[in-house]
Amino acid sequence: MEFIFLVSAIVIILCIASSGISNKYGVPSLLIFIFLGMLFGSDGIFKIHFDNYVFAERICSFALIFIMFYGGFVTNWKIARPIIGKAVCLSTLGVILTAALTGLFCYYVLGFDLFESFLLGAVISSTDAASVFSILRSKKLNLKYGTASLLEVESGSNDPASYMLTMIAIIMIGGESLGKLGIMAFNQIVLGIFSGVVIFLFAKLMLKRASFMKDGLDAIFVFAIAVAAYAFPQIIGGNGYLSAYLVGLLLGNSKIKNKTVLIHFFDGITGLSQIAIFFLLGLLAFPSQIPAIFLSAFCIAIFLTFIARPIAIFAILGPAGCNIRQSLLVSWAGLRGAASIVFAIMAVSSGVDTNNDVFHIVFCIALLSVAFQGTLLPWVSEKLDMVDNQDNVLKTFNDYQEDTEMQLIKTYIPESHPWIGKSISEIKLMIDILVVMIKRGDETIIPKGDTIIFAGDFLILSGETYYDDGNVMLSEIKIEEGHPWLNKTLRELELPEETLVMIIKRADGATIIPKGKNRIKEGDILVLSGYES
């Protein structure tokens, strides 16, 4: 047992260390996790024999809960609201259309059995949230027309539809009646949504009123809520992944305490879940079996990438008024990954009889997708002129501090400043504020208590980072032509009580710490606290 613990620790450390390779060379880190699993597996260097599909399904299904929950939890509803209709259509109708087209290709072109073709189409019909989130955020891809939010909501919410189609395919192969399929589909959707709403209301009530939520217990409580959000609907016949995503979405957009702490907690849990899933999938794979199925997997991957996915995207986004460049990028960003492989494991562990190696076909498709589409996603975004260099408002004070480096503050000492001629020890600073550096022309000074301050100095001050408890709302107001605030100074604005302009972002990318005399210009983005737009 101790040996297993040691190997697990080494694997986690290697996966985390390998993420540096991802950042340096642009290779998706999830792809590296898979290759590490293959390295440890039966056909790899360490020869760890592992072919227990039932055990792998249980571990991966459990880890997938947190990826689904976190995908909803970090989705900013205000940003996502304009694209939510398109995202829902993509995550439902888009999944169904992709599954149908891929199934028809497998049946008519590759000659697979009809039900097996539908199973393959169902399993690989959803895009992978972990892969999309990882690439968009690690590469800081801010995309035009709300495309980043569209992709995140789609990839975070389309796994339930793919899961439902996979269960239907398994039941069809088992010879069940169409009536049972209809009842199952109805229960999956209705009971999944019902369970999510009920569990969210309970969780919000407990987080608001319970006095025991301290010293990290609130994070543990939400961890348990995420698990319950999956398990309860599964027991009563609903869709657990739909429920987990819905609870995450509702909780993440509610006013709850310690939201920033929860985000950081689940960020770590989700990272560990991704490592567990992709490493385990690599461990379960037998590279020696891939040559036998590679041609079929390659053909399906090509059809999926260049025909099925584009048809589904253009059929949905075209009537919605999206331009061609956005539709092409959304089509290209349809990465297959962990969820597809987990659903393939579910099919194998369910005992359905198939003529082809479904697991390794799906594994190879996902590998090709992450390696090819994922690696080229930043390049394709640039070529389609879809990169937007204006950052979106993030969800918490802590996100703003990390984005604008507010832990260190630079202040200029002009002529007639009261600190001129005084030593560091003589100036009166707030408690826990420290002068850590003085920039004097080209000279950098590490100050001591007797260091004298001169006119023209830049003082670098440090203070403890503030982590928001979720009670303060941040909003952004974009100043466009005709806006009533245009050309006014900040002191001229009639803002609601307890509302403050925190940051002004200029159209040229400059960030200004506001003063009353600052005049608002066209193209400015004002970040306000306590203001509901």
Side-chain angles (χ1 to χ4, degrees):
M1 182 62 70
E2 288 79 6
F3 177 75
I4 295 176
F5 289 161
L6 178 61
V7 172
S8 300
I10 291 172
V11 167
I12 292 172
I13 292 170
L14 285 174
C15 288
I16 293 173
S18 67
S19 62
I21 300 175
S22 170
N23 295 331
K24 185 175 181 180
Y25 297 104
V27 179
S29 58
L30 307 179
L31 189 64
I32 298 175
F33 300 162
I34 288 179
F35 279 121
L36 282 173
M38 296 170 69
L39 191 66
F40 277 79
S42 299
D43 291 346
I45 297 174
F46 297 96
K47 304 295 183 184
I48 298 176
H49 183 77
F50 181 73
D51 60 358
N52 192 330
Y53 285 91
V54 175
F55 176 78
E57 182 211 339
R58 290 173 180 172
I59 297 296
C60 292
S61 296
F62 185 74
L64 200 58
I65 295 171
F66 302 105
I67 294 175
M68 292 294 299
F69 177 85
Y70 183 71
F73 196 77
V74 298
T75 297
N76 189 319
W77 178 252
K78 284 188 176 182
I79 296 175
R81 185 164 50 194
I83 53 85
I84 197 66
K86 290 178 281 190
V88 169
C89 288
L90 288 177
S91 62
T92 52
L93 297 177
V95 167
I96 294 171
L97 185 54
T98 301
L101 291 172
T102 306
L104 291 173
F105 175 78
C106 291
Y107 180 68
Y108 285 106
V109 178
L110 299 183
F112 288 6
D113 177 78
L114 179 60
F115 289 156
E116 187 176 333
S117 297
F118 178 67
L119 174 63
L120 270 169
V123 165
I124 61 174
S125 58
S126 69
T127 57
D128 186 61
S131 301
V132 174
F133 290 178
S134 174
I135 293 170
L136 289 180
R137 291 173 182 171
S138 65
K139 302 303 177 185
K140 297 181 180 179
L141 283 179
N142 302 303
L143 304 175
K144 295 178 180 178
Y145 317 121
T147 306
S149 294
L150 178 62
L151 288 172
E152 291 201 21
V153 175
E154 181 214 4
S155 62
S157 62
N158 62 11
D159 288 340
S162 179
Y163 172 77
M164 185 174 70
L165 292 178
T166 300
M167 293 298 102
I168 291 175
I170 291 173
I171 291 175
M172 289 171 60
I173 294 176
E176 299 290 346
S177 65
L178 292 177
K180 184 175 181 179
L181 291 178
I183 294 173
M184 191 204 96
F186 178 82
N187 289 340
Q188 284 269 307
I189 298 171
V190 174
L191 295 179
I193 294 174
F194 170 78
S195 301
V197 172
V198 169
I199 293 173
F200 156 70
L201 293 174
F202 168 75
K204 186 178 180 181
L205 181 66
M206 291 293 290
L207 287 169
K208 185 177 181 180
R209 297 186 177 182
S211 59
F212 64 85
M213 298 300 177
K214 57 183 180 180
D215 300 329
L217 289 180
D218 51 352
I220 298 173
F221 173 78
V222 177
F223 178 93
I225 286 295
V227 176
Y230 169 80
F232 176 68
Q234 288 291 116
I235 291 173
I236 63 175
N239 192 317
Y241 293 119
L242 174 60
S243 174
Y245 179 81
L246 184 60
V247 171
L249 179 66
L250 295 174
L251 269 182
N253 287 276
S254 300
K255 293 182 180 180
I256 58 177
K257 294 181 178 180
N258 299 325
K259 187 180 292 184
T260 300
V261 175
L262 293 172
I263 286 175
H264 289 306
F265 175 78
F266 278 99
D267 197 25
I269 294 294
T270 303
L272 182 60
S273 298
Q274 291 175 4
I275 289 174
I277 288 179
F278 281 86
F279 179 83
L280 197 59
L281 297 178
L283 192 66
L284 190 63
F286 287 78
S288 60
Q289 298 182 25
I290 289 180
I293 55 86
F294 181 79
L295 183 58
S296 296
F298 180 78
C299 291
I300 296 172
I302 293 295
F303 178 82
L304 185 63
T305 303
F306 294 102
I307 299 179
R309 170 79 174 174
I311 289 176
I313 296 303
F314 277 88
I316 293 170
L317 296 188
C322 296
N323 62 48
I324 294 177
R325 291 184 294 114
Q326 184 181 22
S327 298
L328 285 172
L329 182 59
V330 172
S331 175
W332 184 264
L335 278 64
R336 315 294 142 167
S340 295
I341 308 176
V342 172
F343 296 156
I345 293 175
M346 290 179 181
V348 174
S349 62
S350 69
V352 296
D353 187 22
T354 58
N355 297 322
N356 295 278
D357 188 348
V358 172
F359 169 75
H360 280 95
I361 289 176
V362 175
F363 178 85
C364 192
I365 292 171
L367 211 61
L368 291 169
S369 177
V370 175
F372 182 51
Q373 292 172 261
T375 302
L376 293 178
L377 181 56
W379 181 82
V380 171
S381 302
E382 290 280 358
K383 290 298 181 182
L384 290 173
D385 190 27
M386 283 292 294
V387 177
D388 185 358
N389 292 321
Q390 294 293 326
D391 291 336
N392 287 324
V393 170
L394 300 178
K395 291 166 280 297
T396 64
F397 264 118
N398 185 53
D399 289 326
Y400 268 104
Q401 289 170 329
E402 291 173 353
D403 187 44
T404 59
E405 300 182 350
M406 292 175 68
Q407 296 91 342
L408 295 178
I409 301 173
K410 181 176 71 172
T411 184
Y412 177 67
I413 306 298
E415 298 286 349
S416 76
H417 194 284
W419 289 358
I420 294 174
K422 291 185 178 181
S423 65
I424 296 295
S425 60
E426 291 175 327
I427 64 176
K428 295 180 179 181
L429 292 171
M430 299 291 290
I431 296 174
D432 296 330
I433 299 294
L434 180 69
V435 180
V436 295
M437 188 185 305
I438 297 176
K439 302 289 288 186
R440 184 173 294 161
D442 294 331
E443 184 181 6
T444 299
I445 300 170
I446 305 301
K448 298 180 181 178
D450 58 358
T451 302
I452 303 299
I453 300 173
F454 296 148
D457 284 351
F458 284 94
L459 270 58
I460 312 301
L461 309 178
S462 70
E464 183 179 357
T465 299
Y466 172 65
Y467 290 93
D468 178 38
D469 60 4
N471 293 325
V472 178
M473 298 296 296
L474 298 183
S475 302
E476 68 174 12
I477 304 292
K478 186 167 184 180
I479 307 302
E480 298 175 334
E481 185 178 357
H483 196 284
W485 293 355
L486 182 62
N487 295 323
K488 288 187 178 181
T489 62
L490 292 182
R491 64 169 58 97
E492 293 174 330
L493 301 183
E494 296 180 0
L495 295 175
E497 190 177 353
E498 298 181 355
T499 296
L500 177 70
V501 178
M502 295 176 52
I503 300 172
I504 300 176
K505 295 184 177 181
R506 295 293 190 200
D508 60 3
T511 298
I512 298 174
I513 303 301
K515 297 181 177 65
K517 65 181 181 181
N518 290 131
R519 191 168 297 277
I520 301 171
K521 300 179 180 180
E522 184 175 351
D524 283 354
I525 296 176
L526 275 58
V527 181
L528 292 84
S529 63
Y531 181 84
E532 291 289 344
S533 58

